[in-house]
Amino acid sequence: MARKTTTLMGNSGVNLNLVGTPVPGDSYYGYTDGLHTIAIYGQDLKGRVRIQGTLASNPTEGDWFNILLNGLPYKDYTSFTGVEGFTFIANLVFLRAILDRDAIGITDVTGAGYIEKIYLNY
């Protein structure tokens, strides 16, 4: 059973690219198992989603690194509606989500869908 559930990213709306606000991971609270699960909720989503973590208590931009999702440092969506989950083990102090549409060549958000939310459990 998860000790905590929080929103890693809310509705992305019509943003072309979006960097989510950092949220505490399990190490922030002193947990040591490192088990995290995310659920990405998309509505006709087109774009690249990255989950990043850091070990820093006061992270700067250079402290973040990509978390592997099924062996890749990102997940590309071309027209995704539904929920997709990923589980990973890492003792992280903070996590954040990034929506990057530029990475797959989207320059206009018309018809690009959106992230409804990304939940984080640990």
Side-chain angles (χ1 to χ4, degrees):
M1 178 179 224
R3 292 178 290 250
K4 185 162 179 72
T5 300
T6 190
T7 301
L8 192 55
M9 179 180 278
N11 191 306
S12 66
V14 295
N15 290 293
L16 186 61
N17 300 309
L18 183 63
V19 177
T21 303
V23 299
D26 72 339
S27 274
Y28 182 88
Y29 297 105
Y31 302 126
T32 59
D33 67 359
L35 185 62
H36 295 82
T37 300
I38 62 161
I40 300 171
Y41 292 72
Q43 294 295 324
D44 196 28
L45 175 61
K46 297 169 185 71
R48 176 170 289 173
V49 175
R50 288 185 283 146
I51 306 299
Q52 293 187 324
T54 182
L55 305 175
S57 298
N58 296 303
T60 63
E61 196 57 36
D63 293 322
W64 295 96
F65 54 88
N66 293 323
I67 304 297
L68 297 181
L69 306 174
N70 291 341
L72 295 173
Y74 55 83
K75 174 68 180 183
D76 285 345
Y77 293 102
T78 55
S79 186
F80 172 70
T81 296
V83 182
E84 185 170 22
F86 300 92
T87 299
F88 53 90
I89 297 175
N91 288 320
L92 302 169
V93 178
F94 288 100
L95 293 96
R96 69 181 183 181
I98 297 176
L99 172 61
D100 182 3
R101 298 186 202 262
D102 289 337
I104 63 169
I106 295 174
T107 57
D108 180 7
V109 294
T110 305
Y114 60 94
I115 291 173
E116 183 179 332
K117 60 192 167 200
I118 300 176
Y119 279 157
L120 167 67
N121 280 328
Y122 54 87

